[in-house]
Amino acid sequence: MDLSDRAVLVVGGTSGIGRELARRFAAAGSTVAVGGRGAEALSALSDEGFGTFAVDVTDGASVARARDAVLAAYPELDTVVTMSGVMLLEDLRDPAHFEAARTTIDTNLVGTIRVIDAFTPHLLERGAGTFVTVTSGIAFLPFAPMPTYAASKAGVHAYSEALRAQLDGTGVSVVELVPPAVAVAGQEKANPRALPVDVFATEVMGLLARNPTPDEILVEGVLMHRWAERDGTYDDLVAQRSQALDMLLPGRKG
Ligand SMILES: NC(=O)c1ccc[n+]([C@@H]2O[C@H](COP(=O)([O-])OP(=O)(O)OC[C@H]3O[C@@H](n4cnc5c(N)ncnc54)[C@H](OP(=O)(O)O)[C@@H]3O)[C@@H](O)[C@H]2O)c1
């Protein structure tokens, strides 16, 4: 895709990967608007020159209001990025985890569906455009400390595939961004293997710029997750990654 003349909305663009990609699209020449809940972050992004829209993806009325405001300001909108997400740790032996599970599904999976539903009529009417959904390497290689997160992202992957099939022939494409661990907001120390967000964004923009744009945006660092099952490394990697449970459930085997 040509990144220099898009009209892009990044829902979940107030921080982290979404904010970095919003800046990259703008730097490439596209018109960019950003959505999210954080008023201070939205105000700072407005000062940077972005269109900003308050939206809570767990609230259908909020999504509808934001959609109306975005389309009034950007009738030429052609790209919608569904970046909003939460990553929560859960101890499944503690029933209190359920609130985290509900929030995770409502934000990551149902929130994605709400945003897509809100903008599908507009993109179909245009007969051209792109949804960029956001999953994770964890959608393909579960990470036991974040069970509902993995389920939500596997769900967004499956949903993206069905959406792509249903929109085939309409001119509206569906691109799934599959990040590996990316260091946002000082997470470099928590996971030294996480990719710096600027390195990740550069690779992502290079893949998005390909013509045709691949259905899945897979940076080098996520290939081991994406293809673990095909490569026969799945069981070993799941077991290895489950060692991280020691932090969450100390003494779990004792
Ligand atoms: N960083 C990683 O290692 C990694 C790896 C794989 C996938 N991902 C995915 O990448 C996406 C961005 O994550 P990030 O790491 O950049 O984290 P982040 O900095 O916490 O960004 C999350 C974004 O989601 C928005 N958001 C959360 N709840 C929302 C809600 N109810 N309504 C609207 N917006 C909401 C936040 O905005 P407000 O708080 O302003 O609402 C923020 O803009 C997520 O979908 C995440 O699952 C991240």
Side-chain angles (χ1 to χ4, degrees), residues 57-223:
V57 300
T58 67
D59 175 352
S62 168
V63 172
R65 273 195 305 276
R67 182 264 325 275
D68 292 347
V70 168
L71 293 181
Y74 301 94
E76 75 288 10
L77 186 80
D78 58 25
T79 306
V80 177
V81 183
T82 59
M83 184 65 71
S84 297
V86 291
M87 303 175 77
L88 302 174
L89 299 170
E90 291 167 78
D91 173 355
L92 300 185
R93 298 186 298 193
D94 176 358
H97 90 91
F98 185 77
E99 273 314 307
R102 193 206 309 258
T103 299
T104 302
I105 293 295
D106 202 23
T107 307
N108 298 8
L109 178 56
V110 187
T112 294
I113 295 170
R114 285 190 189 94
V115 173
I116 289 170
D117 279 356
F119 287 96
T120 294
H122 166 75
L123 293 184
L124 287 178
E125 171 80 23
R126 289 189 84 249
T130 305
F131 282 115
V132 180
T133 59
V134 181
T135 64
S136 167
I138 290 175
F140 302 95
L141 192 62
F143 183 58
M146 294 197 264
T148 309
Y149 178 79
S152 73
K153 292 299 188 176
V156 174
H157 167 67
Y159 197 87
S160 302
E161 302 240 287
L163 180 68
R164 183 178 303 118
Q166 291 206 17
L167 298 183
D168 189 30
T170 66
V172 182
S173 56
V174 178
V175 173
E176 177 185 343
L177 173 62
V178 190
V182 175
V184 296
Q187 283 171 11
E188 299 86 346
K189 284 185 188 142
N191 180 359
R193 276 182 294 192
L195 271 182
V197 69
D198 58 323
V199 172
F200 172 69
T202 299
E203 213 177 331
V204 168
M205 296 310 275
L207 292 167
L208 284 172
R210 284 196 185 160
N211 204 0
T213 303
D215 287 346
E216 294 181 10
I217 300 299
L218 301 170
V219 300
E220 194 68 30
V222 85
L223 296 176

Side-chain angles (χ1 to χ4, degrees), residues 136-142 178 216 218 220-241:
S136 167
I138 290 175
F140 302 95
L141 192 62
V178 190
E216 294 181 10
L218 301 170
E220 194 68 30
V222 85
L223 296 176
M224 63 173 266
H225 307 76
R226 177 65 181 95
W227 303 120
E229 220 165 348
R230 184 191 70 185
D231 295 345
T233 53
Y234 186 88
D235 289 347
D236 283 350
L237 285 171
V238 170
Q240 191 184 311
R241 289 155 64 82

